[in-house]
Amino acid sequence: MKKKIGEIFTITREVSAGTGYSYYLALLTEGLALIDSGTSEQGNHLAGGNVLQTFTFICLKEGEASFQLAKFRVFDPADILYENVSTVKIENVSYAGDNSRGGWTEYHELSPEERKIFEEAFEGLIGVKYTPVMVKSQIVNGVNYIYIADAVGAYLDAISFKTQVSIYKPTQGKAVIT
């Protein structure tokens, strides 16, 4: 499968509720990050109905990356079914920028100005440390930004995760998290 840096995609699997089986991420290589996972019931909500599991990834850097899902029951880990390893070819789209009003640029590495806007929006906020990784922007009456960032809680043994942050920078005034 081919993707671009900054592209977000979702993989879906279906399992029968009540069997105890669930899908889990068994392998994830550098270049991809899992940004969300979840389940939802399908159709009627009767016991034994089907459940959809979703795994949402973002492409972080150029090259090949891989992921693998495995299906098993937590209470019986010996009964495990590994899927084939899926490979993602991630392309680096050169950043030419789309300066027309309303158009979004592609995700790209931050310029010093974009880093300054990110820091301005987070000034004074505590509890989680955010480090921007890439950004895309849209010119409106000011500029909208969507940053992909690493986040880690300000507490012992906090686990780092990827997140998406939307920021608006008006033509006059301070950047704000939206």
Side-chain angles (χ1 to χ4, degrees):
M1 120 183 28
K2 284 188 178 180
K3 300 290 179 189
K4 297 176 188 173
I5 292 176
E7 190 170 345
I8 295 172
F9 65 98
T10 300
I11 302 297
T12 304
R13 296 294 183 264
E14 186 175 344
V15 293
S16 296
T19 63
Y21 282 101
S22 289
Y23 282 91
Y24 299 90
L25 188 59
L27 170 74
L28 182 65
T29 65
E30 187 176 353
L32 283 176
L34 180 68
I35 58 173
D36 192 27
S37 64
T39 59
S40 63
E41 295 181 18
Q42 280 190 294
N44 61 38
H45 299 284
L46 300 175
N50 291 333
V51 174
L52 284 181
Q53 286 190 256
T54 58
F55 298 87
T56 303
F57 300 91
I58 186 166
C59 301
L60 297 175
K61 70 180 205 173
E62 183 177 15
E64 281 194 2
S66 302
F67 68 91
Q68 181 182 37
L69 298 177
K71 181 180 172 182
F72 67 94
R73 295 183 281 198
V74 174
F75 56 86
D76 189 9
D79 181 18
I80 189 167
L81 176 63
Y82 288 97
E83 291 187 354
N84 289 332
V85 173
S86 296
T87 301
V88 181
K89 293 183 187 249
I90 304 170
E91 299 173 341
N92 186 9
V93 177
S94 64
Y95 170 57
D98 180 354
N99 291 327
S100 63
R101 285 195 179 272
W104 284 94
T105 64
E106 295 287 335
Y107 276 105
H108 57 276
E109 290 185 18
L110 280 68
S111 70
E113 178 64 21
E114 290 164 331
R115 186 170 303 281
K116 181 180 170 187
I117 290 167
F118 186 90
E119 291 168 0
E120 177 182 306
F122 278 91
E123 190 175 302
L125 295 179
I126 57 173
V128 178
K129 180 181 181 341
Y130 294 91
T131 305
V133 177
M134 61 182 63
V135 64
K136 67 179 182 177
S137 60
Q138 175 192 41
I139 297 174
V140 289
N141 187 12
V143 183
N144 288 321
Y145 294 94
I146 298 178
Y147 291 85
I148 302 300
D150 290 323
V152 63
Y155 52 89
L156 188 62
D157 297 328
I159 297 173
S160 178
F161 59 95
K162 295 283 185 214
T163 190
Q164 185 173 306
V165 178
S166 298
I167 294 176
Y168 173 66
K169 174 66 173 166
T171 54
Q172 298 291 318
K174 187 177 186 238
V176 293
I177 300 168
T178 57

